Amino acid sequence: MNNPVWEYAPAPESRAIANLKANYQLFLDGAFVDGEGEPLKTVNPATEEVLAEVSTAAPADVDKAVKAARRAYDKVWGRMPGAERAKYLFRIARIMQERGRELAVLESLDNGKPIKESRDVDIPTAAAHFFHHAGWADKLGYAGYGPDPKPLGVAGQVIPWNFPLLMLAWKIAPALACGNTVVLKPAETTPLTALVFAEICQQAGLPAGVVNILPGAGDVGSELVNHGGIDKVAFTGSTDVGKLIQKSLAGTGKKLTLELGGKAANVVFDDAPLDQAVEGIVNGIFFNQGHVCCAGSRLLVQESIAEELMAKLRARVSTLRLGDPLDKNTDIGAINSKPQLDRIRELVASGDADGAERWTSPCPVPDKGFYFAPTVFSGVQQAMRIAREEIFGPVLSVLTFRTPAEAVAKANNTPYGLSAGIWTEKGSRILWMAEQLRAGVVWANTFNRFDPTAPFGGFGESGFGREGGRAGLEAYLDV
């Protein structure tokens, strides 16, 4: 007798909860206004439908926003006691929680990520960053940066499309807690939750000019970071753009933090709990469709267990459900944009051409929308593009090693240095590996764990500076 095959019934979240509007405006000096730039249309990557038309900033709008932020800093926010600033941050955090379901649905519509990730990870963690930094606002004198550290002034911030609201929280919460004002440019393809956050700032009664949101393409970001009225620049995005920003700001005296690309190694030793490791590998590379700068995109497996681990991994990946991001059963949603999908396809084709062995999940792929099935390459060599370049998609490259020293050498054979993972039962090996690995964050027997109390950042071509925790405050203080 054959066992029955149980399939998940569709469990769609209501799209209506997003309160989607046909048009969105800039948020400048406490009010929503039309920008002077060419409007953009933001697209649902799961269906390729236009969600809304969004007003964008021109150079004149950037100038107005920076001046508004300067006035707010000089007259209100910069001189406000930390305990009073904290009240606003607490209020914002609570409203984010209250509007969490709305924000989660809107994020999944605009970004393509599964609703269970935006609902259970992105929005709660974004609110947690505001709660955490609200607690710091009146305690900066005890953060280790002197008895009375001062804010920098006006921060220009540019964020990516992979975690739109969460990256906003990583940038805005510490800036406000330290007494700075902000002009933020969301990603061109995912501006909607940032503009709803602007509504939340209004709800919280945040003084005009403290937060300004300017949607637009890369030209708006360039105008912002190079504006003479900016004291601090924070950028999360590609390494190539990060290099351009660093070059343009050299000698200006502006403080800069960069959180850039990654090609993280996830190292599995022969004594690791394999089933637990498989879950960590899947979470490390297929979470958020692989659109994660610290994704565990290079799997290093000890040779003696490689065959067994790969069999378990393929079986587990075969169970991942790809499809409608608003379905609560969906594990892998849509790739954020057509250009990103094209890049993933190009790099996967290079893996085929270089002789790596490709295995692709047999899951059905929707006919419409930007989707890419989970893919695992084995037989990967270190010189291959798929082992060296950031794919930023649901593609895993698997290499093997024999000794811990070889594992370290292969893990560090990258210009990036953002994160790494270690899977072993030996505590001494974890500590030894963590010391040897050139990575800003090292996870042990887990992966992709984030907490607002812990600093995050890398070095090398993964950038510099830290976000989160006590260490992350330094980037927004004159120390």
Side-chain angles (χ1 to χ4, degrees):
M1 179 179 175
N2 293 328
N3 291 326
V5 177
W6 300 100
E7 296 292 344
Y8 282 82
E13 177 60 284
S14 170
R15 173 182 172 139
I17 292 165
N19 294 321
L20 191 65
K21 295 185 290 190
N23 297 282
Y24 290 82
Q25 298 171 294
L26 315 183
F27 185 64
L28 203 163
D29 202 11
F32 287 98
V33 299
D34 289 325
E36 296 182 23
E38 187 69 26
L40 64 84
K41 288 179 168 56
T42 187
V43 172
N44 180 347
T47 64
E48 302 180 49
E49 65 169 315
V50 173
L51 290 171
E53 185 171 275
V54 180
S55 188
T56 69
D61 299 307
V62 174
D63 188 56
K64 290 175 189 174
V66 173
K67 288 176 178 175
R70 178 65 60 189
R71 284 195 304 272
Y73 173 74
D74 289 341
K75 296 182 179 180
V76 182
W77 198 252
R79 59 178 64 181
M80 185 183 289
E84 293 302 309
R85 292 198 304 271
K87 293 177 184 177
Y88 289 101
L89 269 72
F90 274 121
R91 211 173 293 157
I92 288 170
R94 290 302 301 272
I95 297 171
M96 290 177 76
Q97 287 183 322
E98 290 165 6
R99 299 181 66 173
R101 193 174 172 196
E102 171 196 351
L103 289 165
V105 175
L106 188 62
E107 196 79 296
S108 288
L109 283 172
D110 203 21
N111 172 276
K113 67 177 62 191
I115 184 65
K116 67 181 181 182
E117 292 181 5
S118 54
R119 177 196 66 200
D120 298 342
V121 179
D122 290 41
I123 309 307
T125 310
H129 272 269
F130 278 94
F131 277 124
H132 172 75
H133 287 96
W136 270 116
D138 64 345
K139 304 174 187 67
L140 298 174
Y142 304 96
Y145 303 114
D148 188 26
K150 301 297 182 184
L152 293 166
V154 178
Q157 304 174 325
V158 180
I159 59 173
W161 46 260
N162 56 338
F163 292 94
L165 191 67
L166 182 55
M167 292 296 99
L168 176 150
W170 278 28
K171 297 286 186 290
I172 292 182
L176 298 193
C178 292
N180 304 277
T181 54
V182 166
V183 182
L184 178 136
K185 190 200 86 69
E188 182 180 3
T189 60
T190 54
L192 298 185
T193 47
L195 295 171
V196 173
F197 176 81
E199 292 179 11
I200 290 172
C201 290
Q202 286 184 325
Q203 273 186 269
L206 194 70
V210 174
V211 168
N212 304 271
I213 310 287
L214 303 182
D219 58 328
V220 179
S222 177
E223 189 74 26
L224 175 60
V225 300
N226 290 297
H227 193 285
I230 294 292
D231 301 299
K232 150 79 185 174
V233 172
F235 172 78
T236 296
S238 73
T239 297
D240 288 343
V241 175
K243 289 177 178 178
L244 291 174
I245 291 173
Q246 187 174 17
K247 184 177 180 180
S248 69
L249 298 188
T252 65
K254 294 179 184 177
K255 205 163 184 177
L256 174 65
T257 50
L258 297 172
E259 198 263 279
L260 308 174
K263 193 69 178 174
N266 211 354
V267 185
V268 183
F269 286 94
D270 57 6
D271 64 335
L274 292 192
D275 291 329
Q276 181 183 338
V278 165
E279 291 303 311
I281 294 163
V282 168
N283 179 50
I285 183 58
F286 299 121
F287 173 67
N288 198 36
Q289 296 75 252
H291 298 333
V292 186
C293 49
C294 58
S297 54
R298 287 184 301 145
L299 176 62
L300 305 183
V301 187
Q302 198 149 18
E303 199 173 90
S304 58
I305 60 163
E307 190 174 330
E308 181 183 3
L309 181 70
M310 290 302 293
K312 287 178 177 287
L313 179 61
R314 289 177 182 133
R316 178 67 180 92
V317 174
S318 296
T319 69
L320 297 177
R321 295 175 296 278
L322 180 147
D324 179 10
L326 289 187
D327 190 329
K328 296 165 193 167
N329 296 318
T330 295
D331 298 303
I332 298 186
I335 303 303
N336 179 252
S337 67
K338 180 66 163 56
Q340 183 59 32
L341 179 59
D342 290 342
R343 171 163 172 78
I344 293 168
R345 287 173 172 164
E346 179 208 344
L347 283 164
V348 165
S350 80
D352 292 333
D354 288 342
E357 182 183 339
R358 190 212 306 198
W359 176 88
T360 298
S361 170
C363 65
V365 178
D367 295 329
K368 199 163 184 64
F370 310 134
Y371 289 95
F372 195 87
T375 296
V376 178
F377 277 104
S378 54
V380 176
Q381 302 301 316
Q382 294 180 84
M384 294 179 182
R385 287 182 67 194
I386 57 171
R388 303 195 63 79
E389 296 184 29
E390 185 178 36
I391 300 174
F392 222 61
V395 181
L396 178 65
S397 298
V398 184
L399 302 89
T400 59
F401 66 90
R402 292 183 179 180
T403 67
E406 184 184 357
V408 169
K410 286 186 173 180
N412 286 340
N413 186 24
T414 175
Y416 297 105
L418 192 55
S419 63
I422 306 165
W423 298 85
T424 177
E425 288 190 345
K426 294 183 174 65
S428 58
R429 180 181 283 163
I430 290 170
L431 295 173
W432 178 81
M433 283 286 290
E435 189 175 285
Q436 301 295 315
L437 292 172
R438 293 199 296 268
V441 178
V442 179
W443 288 290
N445 294 324
T446 188
F447 209 91
N448 275 343
R449 297 289 180 180
F450 300 99
D451 190 289
T453 66
F456 179 86
F459 64 97
E461 294 206 355
S462 290
F464 51 82
R466 293 295 179 265
E467 294 180 298
R470 184 188 66 81
L473 300 170
E474 182 180 4
Y476 291 97
L477 294 171
D478 186 12
V479 294

